């Protein structure tokens, strides 16, 4: 039976409503009409926590991995909970999941085909999801504790490291400390699941600590925040040691993460700059603004204000650069903002905004044309 026919069948016996409708809409997307692992047509199974649609054969391999790694459900026979459907919808289907789980699939590693042996399928599927051999290294989690159950777990320590110590010793990166993540509790937990779990975790790096309630939303920001605080703690020892490796005429570039809050809401970067100045470095700030952001006058003003906040915070010689120009299809859209005219900006702002913003618009346009 084709996918379309099956849906007609479902529709005739049981109306597709609410969340079930979302699952149906996801299923009929072209990438979900073939098995995520072997490419067999018309998959009728799915891994709810990983977010992929699977054929019967691959579904069997997934089931053997255990529900803590892959929660296998029949699309047509099982009752789906709302959270299982949400998980599937959030991942967005086979293409997106494979872009993560097969990001580093070696060229000589052939994906299984529908007629591959069970042994080969098992080997590749285990490597893909259990040991995550093809996952982007920065997304890998190595688990110190073994997860026994998805529901009975109360507190588990996970040792998180984007690169192993061995990797670090082989290149120029420095091991600055071990980030510990304590998982306090969570929902939909599955070992190594980066996409659908919703844990409450506590991060500690040295004496610093940060709490994170929503892994997928806040962890990166919290980690960066924790890391810059750790860097600040290390300025007088570890960081100074690093600086000794450079000569007077060396140029150093400190590439900062794109979280503007780190530079406007906390004084870490300011302290970092002051530290460099005390070491008699000439410091200059280069602010990169995504040129796609400069698509109309209000976004342009907003970008300028963000850059201005960094300038005020750091009080350094300051260069603004529009980045990613290659992604702009019509360069003329950006050109008019390169040398802005206060009157032109003001008339554009006034056209887009309510009359009572007139006075503010005038101040902003004059300020931006001076920057
Ligand atoms: Zn398959």
């Amino acid at each position: 039976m084709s996918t379309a026919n099956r849906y007609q069948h479902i529709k005739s016996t049981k109306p597709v409503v609410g969340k079930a409708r979302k699952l149906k809409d996801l299923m009929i997307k072209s990438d979900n009409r073939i098995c995520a692992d072997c490419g067999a047509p018309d998959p009728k199974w799915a891994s709810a926590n990983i977010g992929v649609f699977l054929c019967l054969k691959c579904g069997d391999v997934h089931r053997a991995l255990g529900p803590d790694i892959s929660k296998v459900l029949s699309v047509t026979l099982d009752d789906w909970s709302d959270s299982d459907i949400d998980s599937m919808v959030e991942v967005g289907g086979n293409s997106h999941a494979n872009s993560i789980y097969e990001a580093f699939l070696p060229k000589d590693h052939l994906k299984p085909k529908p007629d591959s042996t069970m042994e080969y399928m098992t080997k590749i599927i285990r490597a893909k999801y259990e040991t995550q051999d093809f996952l982007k290294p920065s997304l890998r989690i190595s688990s110190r504790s073994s997860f026994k159950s998805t529901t009975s777990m109360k507190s588990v320590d996970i040792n998180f490291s984007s690169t192993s110590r061995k990797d670090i010793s082989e290149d120029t990166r420095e091991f600055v400390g071990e980030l510990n993540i304590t998982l306090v509790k969570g929902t939909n937990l599955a070992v190594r699941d980066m996409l659908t779990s919703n844990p409450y975790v506590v991060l500690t790096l040295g004496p610093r600590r940060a709490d994170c309630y929503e892994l997928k939303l806040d962890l990166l920001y919290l980690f960066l925040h924790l890391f810059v605080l750790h860097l600040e703690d290390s300025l007088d020892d570890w960081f100074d040691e690093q600086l000794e490796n450079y000569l007077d005429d060396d140029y150093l570039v400190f590439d900062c993460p794109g979280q503007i809050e780190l530079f406007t809401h906390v004084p870490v970067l300011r302290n970092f700059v002051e530290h460099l100045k005390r070491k008699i470095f000439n410091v200059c700030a280069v602010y990169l603004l995504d040129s796609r952001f400069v698509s109309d006058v209000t976004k342009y003003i907003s970008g300028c204000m963000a850059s201005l906040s960094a300038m005020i915070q750091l009080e350094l010689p300051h260069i603004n650069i529009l980045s990613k120009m290659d992604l702009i299809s019509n360069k003329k859209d950006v050109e008019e903002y390169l040398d802005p005219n206060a009157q032109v900006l003001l008339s554009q702002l006034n056209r887009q905004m309510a009359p009572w913003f007139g006075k503010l618009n005038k101040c902003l346009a004059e300020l931006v044309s001076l920057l």
Side-chain angles (χ1 to χ4, degrees):
M1 189 187 292
S2 74
T3 309
N5 285 341
R6 189 173 68 245
Y7 282 124
Q8 282 160 12
H9 173 67
I10 292 171
K11 205 172 177 182
S12 64
T13 54
K14 187 176 164 187
V16 180
V17 290
K19 298 267 183 185
R21 160 73 61 181
K22 285 187 178 174
L23 185 64
K24 182 202 149 186
D25 289 346
L26 186 64
M27 244 196 110
I28 56 177
K29 282 172 63 182
S30 59
D31 59 318
N32 299 329
R33 289 182 174 185
I34 58 168
C35 171
D37 291 338
C38 75
D42 197 19
K44 293 184 172 62
W45 297 84
S47 170
N49 60 320
I50 293 173
V52 287
F53 292 94
L54 302 164
C55 69
L56 176 66
K57 210 166 158 187
C58 293
D60 282 345
V61 178
H62 275 247
R63 201 173 290 105
L65 299 176
D68 50 348
I69 293 178
S70 185
K71 182 180 178 183
V72 180
L73 291 173
S74 163
V75 177
T76 50
L77 303 174
D78 285 321
D79 282 330
W80 284 64
S81 70
D82 284 357
S83 65
D84 284 336
I85 294 175
D86 284 342
S87 297
M88 293 293 294
V89 171
E90 195 171 335
V91 174
N94 291 353
S95 289
H96 186 237
N98 278 344
S99 73
I100 293 168
Y101 286 101
E102 294 179 358
F104 280 64
L105 187 70
K107 286 198 176 69
D108 55 353
H109 256 75
L110 291 177
K111 276 189 77 162
K113 293 194 168 63
D115 58 354
S116 293
T117 63
M118 206 61 177
E119 191 186 0
Y120 187 69
M121 278 187 164
T122 303
K123 183 182 157 198
I124 297 295
I125 289 172
R126 279 191 180 277
K128 183 173 169 183
Y129 302 106
E130 191 175 44
T131 51
Q132 300 184 338
D133 293 350
F134 319 131
L135 195 70
K136 211 172 163 184
S138 60
L139 288 178
R140 285 176 200 162
I141 288 180
S142 61
S143 173
R144 190 192 297 154
S145 312
S146 65
F147 286 52
K148 298 294 182 201
S149 152
T150 56
T151 51
S152 64
M153 180 171 49
K154 292 286 182 250
S155 178
V156 181
D157 280 331
I158 306 170
N159 178 20
F160 176 95
S161 167
S162 62
T163 49
S164 69
R165 285 178 194 233
K166 183 169 165 285
D167 290 337
I168 289 168
S169 68
E170 283 169 1
D171 62 29
T172 55
R173 282 170 287 182
E174 289 287 327
F175 182 79
V176 296
E178 186 169 283
L179 176 70
N180 286 308
I181 303 177
T182 302
L183 179 59
V184 180
K185 63 179 178 182
T187 55
N188 290 333
L189 293 174
V191 65
R192 300 183 181 85
D193 174 15
M194 294 295 292
L195 297 167
T196 57
S197 293
N198 181 15
Y200 161 42
V201 294
V202 176
L203 282 67
T204 51
L205 183 64
R208 297 287 190 176
R209 172 197 161 106
D211 289 21
C212 174
Y213 290 90
E214 186 89 21
L215 176 66
K216 51 187 177 277
L217 295 180
D218 291 331
L219 189 58
L220 178 63
Y221 170 72
L222 268 175
F223 168 67
L224 291 172
H225 193 167
L226 201 64
F227 184 76
V228 289
L229 290 174
H230 181 73
L231 180 67
E232 192 179 29
D233 293 340
S234 316
L235 285 179
D236 287 327
D237 41 55
W238 172 81
F239 184 64
D240 280 355
E241 267 175 40
Q242 301 305 308
L243 290 179
E244 283 167 15
N245 295 325
Y246 299 95
L247 302 171
D248 282 353
D249 52 356
D250 280 338
Y251 286 82
L252 302 185
V253 176
F254 298 95
D255 186 6
C256 302
Q259 254 79 6
I260 186 74
E261 298 85 352
L262 290 175
F263 315 125
T264 53
H265 298 178
V266 289
V268 169
L269 208 70
R270 170 76 185 223
N271 295 342
F272 181 68
V273 165
E274 293 303 324
H275 187 82
L276 286 170
K277 284 184 183 169
R278 281 197 296 277
K279 298 284 166 189
I280 327 181
F281 275 87
N282 292 316
V283 191
C284 169
V286 179
Y287 190 95
L288 299 183
L289 179 64
D290 191 324
S291 54
R292 290 168 300 174
F293 203 67
V294 187
S295 56
D296 68 45
V297 67
T298 52
K299 288 178 184 162
Y300 170 68
I301 298 283
S302 166
C304 289
M305 292 300 108
S307 166
L308 183 63
S309 70
M311 196 165 102
I312 291 170
Q313 169 81 354
L314 298 177
E315 289 187 80
L316 287 175
H318 189 101
I319 301 169
N320 289 317
I321 292 180
L322 285 172
S323 64
K324 302 182 185 171
M325 282 299 287
D326 54 316
L327 300 177
I328 298 285
S329 48
N330 189 357
K331 306 271 189 293
K332 285 222 161 57
D333 291 345
V334 175
E335 213 171 277
E336 62 179 307
Y337 296 116
L338 296 182
D339 186 16
N341 175 292
Q343 281 307 318
V344 176
L345 289 179
L346 181 59
S347 66
Q348 287 180 348
L349 277 172
N350 285 342
R351 264 204 304 278
Q352 288 200 23
M353 297 170 74
W356 53 85
F357 284 100
K359 219 168 169 180
L360 176 67
N361 288 345
K362 187 164 183 290
C363 295
L364 285 172
E366 282 172 2
L367 174 67
V368 166
S369 66
L370 291 174
L371 287 178

